[in-house]
Amino acid sequence: QVQLVESGGGLVQAGGSLRLSCAASGRTFSGYYMGWFRQAPGKEREFVVRIGWSGVTNYSDSVKGRFTISRDNAKNTVYLQMNSLKPEDTAVYYCAAGPTATGTYDYWGQGLEVTVSS
């Protein structure tokens, strides 16, 4: 019954912005980190960013300074504000969550397409 549902993707021009959201349900996510991975066409899935229950964040170098993650613990929802988008950001974005204690990602969303045109 645990579900992570992403929303907010779409098509934007280079330099534009998008705001993704990931709503988790089915259990309490206290003590869990939540974050985003992405997979570009022809490439392996890569880590983008995560945020802990306490608000501590970790960003990949490729998005640091352009993307901002935030979390509403009361809603079990994480947001990803993506600014200054580049064509290289085009990918399917996956929301993921896991226990901080294990460092694993136990739950995954179905994926959200983001396309940035040049």
Side-chain angles (χ1 to χ4, degrees):
Q1 293 183 352
V2 175
Q3 291 185 316
L4 273 61
V5 180
E6 306 105 329
S7 62
L11 173 65
V12 298
Q13 293 183 339
S17 299
L18 281 175
R19 184 173 183 257
L20 309 184
S21 64
C22 174
S25 63
R27 63 157 294 153
T28 176
F29 283 83
S30 61
Y32 276 57
Y33 51 77
M34 299 182 67
W36 297 87
F37 289 74
R38 67 185 182 186
Q39 186 168 18
K43 296 184 178 181
E44 295 183 350
R45 185 171 58 193
E46 65 173 342
F47 169 80
V48 178
V49 61
R50 72 178 183 185
I51 183 169
W53 180 256
S54 64
V56 177
T57 58
N58 297 95
Y59 292 87
S60 68
D61 291 338
S62 62
V63 305
K64 190 173 184 179
R66 299 188 297 118
F67 292 9
T68 302
I69 191 170
S70 60
R71 182 171 184 169
D72 186 337
N73 290 338
K75 296 181 179 180
N76 281 336
T77 301
V78 64
Y79 306 94
L80 182 63
Q81 180 67 45
M82 304 187 295
N83 297 326
S84 301
L85 284 164
K86 305 175 181 179
E88 304 91 270
D89 296 317
T90 296
V92 176
Y93 284 70
Y94 296 90
C95 180
T100 303
T102 65
T104 60
Y105 294 91
D106 297 335
Y107 306 105
W108 292 83
Q110 294 184 349
L112 182 67
E113 185 174 321
V114 172
T115 302
V116 184
S117 62
S118 59

